[in-house]
Amino acid sequence: MIDRRSFITGLSAGGAFAAGARDAPRKRFAEERVERITAPPKPALAINHLGFTPPGRKSVVFRLTGGMPAEFTFRDIGSSPKPPELTRRFTRFTSDLGDCLVGDLSDIVRPGMYQVEAGGERSVPFFIGEDVWRRTLVKAVSYIHAQRCGTAVPNVHPVCHLDDARRRDNGGHVDTTGGWHDAGDLRKWMSATVLNGIALMGLLRNLGDDWDAAGSGAKALLDEARWGNTYFLKMQDGDGLVWDDVAGGVNGDNSDNHWTDNRTGTGDDRYINTNKSGSVQALFTLFEAMMATAFRAADPAYSERCLRAAVRCWDAATRSGGTGEVSWWALAAMELGRATGAAGYRDHALKFGSLILSAQNTAFTFGQKFVRGWFRVSSNSPDPYADVVHGALPVITLLLLAQAYPDAAQAGQWGDAVKLHLDGYVLPMAARSPYGIVPFGIFHGTPSAELYRPLAGELTYRFFMPVQRGDWWIGSTSHLESYALAGILAASEFGNSAYRDLAMRQLEWVMGANPFGACLMTGEGMRNPYPHSRFVGLIPGGIMNGIAGNANDEPILDIENGFDWRTTEYWTPHNAYYILAVSALHRRA
Ligand SMILES: [Zn+2]
């Protein structure tokens, strides 16, 4: 099993041109097996299983795997008497993900339950309605609750890990109980689980008390975030810096991934990884500052405690790194400025914003004039930034800076950089398939022995992570959802509906508009794969790593109950970006 800490925090560090990338690792049987699970001929119809809000683009994709229907029918299946069905013509779409037909339903805005039929197939029934996305937030948040550690979660697991944990370096016990299990296992990575807290704070900020129609209110979000924070605060060392994980595995392995006897000092106690990674410091500072703001009225003493923790970490950290890490520090500075009212943090936020700008490739390079505006892994590296978890982080950061500091001298540059990234890179790349997904990344040539699709000049690209380049790869869910968040923020900032449509296509792929016709959130939609979740099984609202690619960059997904973690494991960042994107979609004016 891989080391999820380095997975999430170090993804952009290697870069597309890393030396030695041609040495493919030896593959295990399970890995080879899932690489063969490409999309079956049926369902050929792909439409997202939740449905659509009344405004915006609505499309259906039919893969040409056999027959070639010229038209599709569309009917209201919820009304009585039933209105007459509509028949429409498809448009042919030749693409790098295979030839397809595309049908458009954008003009249908009447709320109701509908179904599409084409080529003898019926789609999953879906809604048109204002709340089709919003109402899934409760399930996505309940997933976080189900992952609580250090307590019993009724119908999920009995009380657990009251004996967390002992230090890896000197064996001393430190009370680090609490927090949330990450993913389909029992480990507590800071780099991943702090994202739960950030998502809860973002949801609270976007929708407030009304986030849940059942009325659980802001208190439910504050309580959940505070539960996670009991653990996060315990992870702060005396020097102000924060440890990386509890139970991550002593040698990057699964040795700590087990239930324990809840008694301190016995042989099954798990370990604290006392390493202090840079991006973990930034995430911690960001989250604690958000907590300080959120709790200021409800619990001033607790708010002050969170703020002190944030400032101590900020002061102790070196606050440098590549484009990804600098983005987190920009957001941390912004939130510290908001929480303290101190002007100095704004200057830091602007400085980090300038570093992000300097890492953007504004010119056409590599002998092509097709794409520009993509980010590099750092301002002094030629390598494109590609991160399967935080793919859109730099552009999200620029958008949030522009929201926070509209009067800053750099605000115009941030806006220009966002538009150049979306118009000059993301939209042309997303147009290369009928599903509208943002490919994983661009590359210079062929860095490893597998298919890199020709793009233009010396540039190639892949829809999915390379599987031969490093020693791990996973599905694209977080990458796509992060671009959903970026698109929604950009649509709001610039009033451009094309950015909203881009955003929705990313979410729609995750919720069923993909070549497998599979919804990747447990408890929503149909044809959900069985998740890699080996301690508690199904968790409603959990979102899987999702569709990856094989050496030929064909979409693959374990729909054969193979327990494949690369495509079907739940991971915290997927729920975090989903909650942030969907709540931003419905954000109060
Ligand atoms: Zn636990």
Side-chain angles (χ1 to χ4, degrees), residues 48-51 131-143 203 211 507 511 519 521-525 540-543 575 578-579 582-583 586:
N48 95 77
H49 300 181
L50 299 187
D131 70 341
V132 292
W133 291 92
R134 181 174 176 144
R135 67 186 193 152
T136 63
L137 285 169
V138 176
K139 221 171 268 177
V141 169
S142 77
Y143 166 84
L203 170 55
W211 75 277
L507 293 174
M511 294 308 236
C519 182
M521 177 191 273
T522 297
E524 286 289 347
I543 305 176
N575 277 66
Y578 186 85
I579 289 167
V582 173
S583 64
H586 295 284

Side-chain angles (χ1 to χ4, degrees), residues 148-150 157 160-161 164 181 186 188 259 270:
R148 281 191 181 198
C149 181
H157 63 71
C160 65
H161 301 124
D164 278 348
H181 300 143
L186 303 175
K188 301 195 294 193
W259 301 114
R270 310 194 298 173

